[in-house]
Amino acid sequence: MAPIQRAGEAGPAGAPEQADGLRGRTAELHGIRARALAGPGEKATAAQHAKGKLTARERIELLLDAGSFQEVEQLRRHRAAGFGLEAKKPYTDGVITGWGTVHGRTVFVYAHDFRIFGGALGEAHAQKIHKLMDMAIAAGAPLVSLNDGAGARIQEGVSALAGYGGIFQRNTKASGVIPQISVMLGPCAGGAAYSPALTDFVFMVRETSQMFITGPDVVKAVTGEEITQNGLGGADVHAETSGVCHFAYDDEETCIAEVRYLLSLLPQNNRENPPRVESADPADRRSDVLLDLVPADGNRPYDMAKVIEEIVDDGDYLEVHERWARNIICALARLDGRVVGIIANQPQTLAGVLDIEASEKAARFVQMCDAFNIALITLLDVPGFLPGVGQEHGGIIRHGAKLLYAYCNATVPRISLIVRKAYGGAYIVMDSQSIGADLTYAWPTNEIAVMGAVGAANVVFRRQIAAAPDPDAMRARLVKEYRAELMHPYYAVERGLVDDVIDPAETREVLVRALAMLRLKHADLPSRKHGNPPQ
């Protein structure tokens, strides 16, 4: 005689024993859901916690507003057979999918459950993600992926690989339509790493998350190099060296809290403006500190971050790629409650020059802001592009052109402020009026020129300097004359290349007024399938 089963328990074929009547069936449903929510058991949960990692459901609870999560396909199971898979068919198939709210606004989320198949992607697992991504695009709401998976499920072969293709295709379709955020909370190896790379922002947690195409064992076998997983693709490596990671944090709780903060600065989709909030910081607040913060001497460094703090609401901003390409700052902030994207040269690092990495960093940030209707404010203090054989051979021409292309293609409000110096091609590239900035302002310390006065004098007056009885004295005199004639603060404004020279203490008020005027700006691009930006 076959053993008696209680309602909700799985039979030999994996199907639950059917109960009689609606009450019985409902009780059976609750039993099944309870098992799905519990996951693979306390032992697997303890193992996850022992690694310093939260479970998928704990992560979702941190991300979304309390009680807002609505799960879809909770009872989905794989249909694969072979290699023992037919005997192991857990609910959710290793990924939890659904939607909820963050600060009251809808957000779609999927989270790999490392306790089930190591979070590896199989056919059913991928189909759940595909469905959720399609829903996010259709609903016009952000998509957050909480990644903690071991790559493709090897037992399912090419079906698993095809699942990744479907994710990549949807990442690309959603690009510039809805915000996409990847939160790396565990390993991400091989082709799986390309989905985060296609999204708008990548968050990582130190020690527990890694990303690489080929792991340390393969690297050692092919090149002989020995390296740890964190040394190859840890959070600090990607935040400082590769630029793959935008934000890196010490623990999951802080990381997910910052994801919530980022979402508060982004619109739901490309058809909306970012949410505006009431600001207690007066729009006409003077910042007399700025009068002493920036040295008039163009060779003296200072911290541009302090300038930004003085201008934005309550001194609060979120810096993107803070530890990569530090010679340029990219940040999201608010001015009079309106979200703005700030791009600023950082004189404390490499004197604020543009190089390959700074150009790439700023170009992608400009594109992101333009895609999601975030006005751009550019703070210039740039001596030019970084000279050197390494930069030229590394393609500074095409990489610098990426930033130029991004600015020229942007249709959101664009305001530039020349804080101190703006020389050469770097001045043009950093959203000068000649490439379409709506308004350009300058402080009285500004110097706009093809190059610095000393370099210019050495080129223009080289014969006079060489022929002079005292070349150094002649050079000093001609440098002074060149600076007085062509580099005084009002040269550009007299020729219409700058709209106004302003009191630095009034910078916040001027920018707030300009943004209010440009709020309804509309600009059409030429009809085309897409551009062909420099690569």
Side-chain angles (χ1 to χ4, degrees):
M1 182 176 178
I4 297 174
Q5 291 177 280
R6 292 186 296 274
E9 287 192 344
E17 179 75 10
Q18 293 186 352
D20 294 329
L22 185 55
R23 288 183 180 276
R25 291 292 180 89
T26 303
E28 175 185 77
L29 169 64
H30 288 309
I32 295 172
R33 289 204 183 283
R35 292 205 307 279
L37 288 169
E42 294 182 2
K43 184 178 180 181
T45 299
Q48 181 81 346
H49 288 164
K51 298 174 184 175
K53 294 162 45 172
L54 301 174
T55 66
R57 295 192 184 278
E58 289 169 341
R59 291 163 174 165
I60 291 173
E61 288 177 3
L62 286 175
L63 174 68
L64 301 178
D65 297 338
S68 68
F69 183 53
Q70 179 66 51
E71 190 171 353
V72 293
E73 295 203 353
Q74 183 186 68
L75 306 183
R76 185 72 180 264
R77 289 169 155 176
H78 71 77
R79 297 177 293 177
F83 305 102
L85 285 177
E86 63 277 5
K88 189 176 182 181
K89 295 188 175 185
Y91 292 118
T92 75
D93 198 45
V95 64
I96 299 168
T97 56
W99 74 89
T101 60
V102 173
H103 304 299
R105 299 190 301 157
T106 300
V107 171
F108 287 81
V109 58
Y110 69 85
H112 298 129
D113 191 340
F114 194 83
R115 302 172 302 166
I116 298 175
F117 298 127
L121 182 138
E123 183 179 21
H125 181 123
Q127 289 173 352
K128 288 181 65 175
I129 296 174
H130 296 168
K131 179 175 181 176
L132 189 84
M133 296 178 78
D134 290 339
M135 292 170 66
I137 295 169
L143 174 69
V144 178
S145 62
L146 303 177
N147 298 272
D148 187 6
R153 196 174 299 169
I154 298 172
Q155 299 94 320
E156 295 193 29
V158 71
S159 297
L161 290 177
Y164 276 122
I167 293 173
F168 302 157
Q169 190 269 341
R170 288 166 174 83
N171 284 138
T172 304
K173 181 180 178 182
S175 180
V177 178
I178 58 172
Q180 299 181 84
I181 300 174
S182 298
V183 189
M184 314 311 295
L185 302 167
C188 184
Y194 283 114
S195 177
L198 289 169
T199 61
D200 299 301
F201 300 97
V202 176
F203 288 71
M204 293 186 74
V205 176
R206 294 184 181 90
E207 302 303 323
T208 59
S209 63
Q210 302 89 28
M211 295 174 66
F212 36 71
I213 298 300
T214 55
D217 293 341
V218 177
V219 169
K220 182 179 179 180
V222 174
T223 70
E225 298 170 289
E226 292 192 17
I227 193 167
T228 64
Q229 287 195 348
N230 281 320
L232 182 63
D236 288 328
V237 168
H238 288 311
E240 297 178 10
T241 305
S242 73
V244 170
C245 168
H246 299 79
F247 306 95
Y249 299 99
D250 290 330
D251 57 79
E252 294 190 16
E253 290 84 357
T254 303
C255 180
I256 294 174
E258 289 299 297
V259 174
R260 286 177 58 88
Y261 178 46
L262 173 60
L263 285 167
S264 74
L265 297 168
L266 300 175
Q268 290 292 89
N269 54 63
N270 64 337
R271 300 184 301 276
E272 297 183 5
N273 290 322
R276 187 183 180 190
V277 300
E278 291 299 321
S279 175
D281 195 348
D284 59 353
R285 168 174 56 79
R286 282 183 61 86
S287 298
D288 290 313
V289 173
L290 293 175
L291 294 169
D292 302 311
L293 193 57
V294 178
D297 181 356
N299 294 320
R300 288 179 58 194
Y302 63 93
D303 189 356
M304 183 65 84
K306 293 182 178 179
V307 176
I308 296 172
E309 288 174 7
E310 283 297 316
I311 294 172
V312 302
D313 290 357
D314 304 309
D316 188 27
Y317 64 93
L318 178 64
E319 188 169 351
V320 179
H321 269 145
E322 179 180 3
R323 296 162 60 199
W324 182 60
R326 296 188 182 191
N327 42 323
I328 199 160
I329 296 172
C330 297
L332 293 170
R334 281 191 167 92
L335 271 171
D336 196 30
R338 289 191 175 94
V339 178
V340 295
I342 297 174
I343 303 96
N345 305 110
Q346 174 56 289
Q348 274 196 335
T349 303
L350 295 176
V353 298
L354 287 179
D355 60 3
I356 289 172
E357 291 185 345
S359 299
E360 288 192 335
K361 171 180 170 178
R364 186 126 197 284
F365 184 75
V366 168
Q367 289 173 173
M368 185 280 298
C369 289
D370 186 52
F372 295 116
N373 307 311
I374 299 172
L376 294 167
I377 293 177
T378 305
L379 306 180
L380 286 88
D381 190 349
V382 60
F385 283 94
L386 181 65
V389 175
Q391 288 289 306
E392 296 295 345
H393 288 185
I396 184 61
I397 294 172
R398 61 185 175 86
H399 289 288
K402 293 178 185 179
L403 180 55
L404 180 61
Y405 187 99
Y407 269 127
C408 290
N409 206 44
T411 60
V412 293
R414 292 157 52 188
I415 303 170
S416 291
L417 171 66
I418 299 160
V419 174
R420 193 166 60 174
K421 59 184 177 295
Y423 295 160
Y427 154 61
I428 300 298
V429 167
M430 289 286 291
D431 206 19
S432 63
Q433 190 161 292
S434 61
I435 66 169
D438 296 297
L439 290 167
T440 303
Y441 298 105
W443 285 359
T445 48
N446 82 84
E447 289 185 353
I448 305 173
V450 176
M451 62 177 67
V454 174
N458 285 333
V459 173
V460 176
F461 307 116
R462 63 183 181 278
R463 291 182 180 175
Q464 292 172 251
I465 293 171
D470 186 347
D472 291 337
M474 175 64 75
R475 180 183 294 106
R477 181 174 68 82
L478 293 174
V479 165
K480 185 177 180 180
E481 289 180 6
Y482 183 87
R483 181 176 281 115
E485 184 70 24
L486 296 176
M487 295 179 65
H488 64 80
Y490 304 100
Y491 184 86
V493 74
E494 289 170 2
R495 286 153 181 78
L497 299 175
V498 170
D499 292 294
D500 199 6
V501 178
I502 65 173
D503 179 349
E506 297 175 354
T507 299
R508 173 178 166 82
E509 181 180 5
V510 170
L511 293 177
V512 167
R513 289 176 179 269
L515 285 170
M517 181 276 292
L518 291 167
R519 181 173 59 88
L520 298 179
K521 174 189 173 183
H522 176 75
D524 290 318
L525 291 172
S527 177
R528 58 185 175 185
K529 186 175 182 180
H530 56 73
N532 187 23
Q535 296 298 322

